[in-house]
Amino acid sequence: MKTIAAAAVYFILLLLTGCGEQSQQGLATQPAVEEGGLLRAAGNPDSEALVWFIKAGATGHGRDRSSPFGSTAQVEHASRPGDIIFLLSADEPLDDGLTLKPRQTLIGVAPESGQYPLLSNTTGDRNSGHGLILADGVRVEGIEVRNTHASGIFGVDPGNVELSDVVVSNANTAQLTMPDRPTYLDYTLTHGGIVLLGSSAGETASLKLTRTRVFGSSGLGVVAAAYAGARVSLNLLDSEIRDGTAIDRADRGVYAFAHGASSTVDLEVIRSTVSGRMGRYGRNISLQASRDATVSGLVYESSVGASGQDGINAGLLELPASVDLSIVGSTIENSAQSNIEGTMLALPHDEAAASASRLSISIDRSTIRRAGRTPYVRADHFNILMTGSPTPPDHPLPRGQYRLSVIDSEIAASQEAGLWVGAPWGGEPIDPGQFEILVRGTQFLENETADIQIGASAVEIDARQNCWLSPDGREEARVITTSPADDGTVDTSDSVPCGR
């Protein structure tokens, strides 16, 4: 039935654009029928589903393209679950935002110029300042949400949602935060471009973004957060998340956050680009878990570009918690501090909580390069960093468990170390974490200070069968130890020629 409904929507769109006269693959040529003066969606699983039209500045009854509604309040009042809403292009955006009902479809009808129809909400007077509010089973395609007071697109426990060919630009102009959500120093949850929240035990929510672009959002670009046992998934496919301004320390392009027992977030970034969070604490992709929560992430054949702090950050807040991140066939480059960072905050927690936590990062067939090469200059520069974080200050670092594997990849051109393990500042305190690291078939190329630098005592690094090339042309592994690690904890034997 879902395929039939999609086909019906497609043929209605063809009819609207004057191209729907011929059948295709045996499907009906009558995508919509008029009954009692209302346009009904043929083939829609909601048998009473209606078709509505809306356009900024219009004054019509909304029942056909020649007489569209002129306000979102009208279509919200008239439409029912399962209806189809067409947003028509106009010289100005349709303001005040729009709240969708379950199973509704919102489609933008673009002019020949290709500019998507515009939806906005420049004040907080209606729809809480959001551009678009989601509901279970909705589909949205071919629109732009611009200059919203709060989030561009927002949903709480919305079930399964799909967005395709959607643009969100300059969202959260009021720089709003969510004060009823947990706040951990620079991990404040704010509104932003696209925000998906799971807030109740047993609730599931999923958001699929295909060919979606989010530009210039304040605070956060795209967010998936789970609380109180909710399960949330976020999938980005062939999408671009770029630029934006910070709200205090909140400055992230894609953010996956889970808090509380049994809360989970699953993140997939596939063939997508995330870049340009250039504030002092800017992170292009961030995965955070806290209080028995779990976050898993996959970055596949994607590009993560310049950032003010980290390209990809994976961290545990209040322990126990778990984060598992896999990076495959991707390029992460030009961060001001770390292209990839795995860390546990120094929030108060005991040994049992630390031992029950897991932070695991695997990197396969990827390029990690040029940390510290951005115009914004930080004190430390690492292509990959695994360490406890001295945040908040004056708390002991956790005795966490860290796992890292790097296979068939390139770690190149960091201003300092290619791989830094443990406390990056050297000296005291020594990072008490336990680090198990495997690096195989990887090229360490022209990292300025060292290929591997160690600031922890419990380290096991198997770095055999890699190539090593220093900036001055020497093909040998450069390992620097700034803590009393045992001599046998690092194995860089059986090196192979770099071939360059």
Side-chain angles (χ1 to χ4, degrees), residues 144 147 206 309 329 352 471:
E144 178 174 348
N147 297 336
S206 69
Q309 183 170 358

Side-chain angles (χ1 to χ4, degrees), residues 3 15 17 55 68 74 86 126 144 148 168 179 215 220 231 241 267 277 284 321 325 417:
T3 301
L15 184 66
T17 55
K55 179 179 180 179
Q74 290 174 296
F86 287 98
R126 291 196 72 252
E144 178 174 348
T148 55
V168 179
F215 300 148
L220 305 173
R231 303 177 64 86
I241 316 299
L267 170 68
R277 301 304 300 204
N284 286 323
L325 170 63

Side-chain angles (χ1 to χ4, degrees), residues 61-361:
H61 50 62
R63 294 191 295 272
D64 59 59
R65 183 172 182 172
S66 64
S67 183
F69 283 138
S71 74
T72 58
Q74 290 174 296
V75 76
E76 288 171 356
H77 177 75
S79 67
R80 298 174 295 187
D83 285 357
I84 299 171
I85 303 167
F86 287 98
L87 175 60
L88 307 180
S89 291
D91 293 336
E92 298 295 329
L94 185 67
D95 213 339
D96 291 335
L98 173 63
T99 295
L100 295 175
K101 297 180 176 68
R103 303 182 308 284
Q104 286 189 337
T105 298
L106 173 64
I107 300 175
V109 181
E112 293 183 0
S113 64
Q115 170 66 54
Y116 289 155
L118 298 176
L119 178 66
S120 188
N121 195 349
T122 54
T123 72
D125 296 339
R126 291 196 72 252
N127 290 310
S128 301
H130 304 306
L132 187 65
I133 298 179
L134 303 172
D136 185 23
V138 305
R139 295 176 58 245
V140 181
E141 58 185 75
I143 70 168
E144 178 174 348
V145 182
R146 179 185 293 181
N147 297 336
T148 55
H149 181 81
S151 292
I153 300 175
F154 184 77
V156 178
D157 300 325
N160 299 318
V161 176
E162 296 184 14
L163 310 180
S164 60
D165 298 294
V166 169
V167 176
V168 179
S169 58
N170 196 32
N172 197 16
T173 59
Q175 296 207 324
L176 301 177
T177 62
M178 300 183 193
D180 58 331
R181 305 295 176 181
T183 299
Y184 302 99
L185 302 168
D186 55 333
Y187 302 101
T188 303
L189 193 66
T190 74
H191 288 283
I194 301 175
V195 178
L196 175 68
L197 302 181
S199 64
S200 303
E203 292 287 345
T204 60
S206 69
L207 177 60
K208 183 177 181 180
L209 308 179
T210 304
R211 298 180 303 278
T212 295
R213 293 175 289 162
V214 179
F215 300 148
S217 296
S218 180
L220 305 173
V222 178
V223 187
Y227 301 90
R231 303 177 64 86
V232 175
S233 65
L234 172 63
N235 178 285
L236 282 75
L237 177 64
D238 297 323
S239 295
E240 182 179 7
I241 316 299
R242 178 167 54 81
D243 303 337
T245 57
I247 299 177
D248 296 325
R249 295 191 176 194
D251 187 7
R252 290 179 286 279
V254 176
Y255 187 32
F257 174 61
H259 176 84
S262 301
S263 299
T264 65
V265 174
D266 295 317
L267 170 68
E268 291 184 344
V269 180
I270 300 174
R271 296 196 305 272
S272 296
T273 299
V274 189
S275 65
R277 301 304 300 204
M278 297 304 298
R280 178 176 175 80
Y281 302 98
R283 284 143 177 177
N284 286 323
I285 300 177
S286 184
L287 303 88
Q288 307 286 345
S290 178
R291 290 191 182 178
D292 288 302
T294 299
V295 174
S296 61
L298 169 65
V299 178
Y300 181 79
E301 293 185 356
S302 293
S303 174
V304 181
S307 64
Q309 183 170 358
D310 301 324
I312 302 179
N313 169 271
L316 310 186
L317 308 184
E318 290 186 74
L319 306 186
S322 298
V323 171
D324 291 289
L325 170 63
S326 179
I327 301 169
V328 180
S330 297
T331 298
I332 299 90
E333 60 187 349
N334 296 327
S335 66
Q337 177 180 281
S338 309
N339 279 317
I340 300 172
E341 178 184 4
T343 188
M344 300 187 190
L345 265 64
L347 291 166
H349 38 244
D350 56 26
E351 293 291 326
S355 64
S357 301
R358 180 181 69 254
L359 178 55
S360 176
I361 299 176

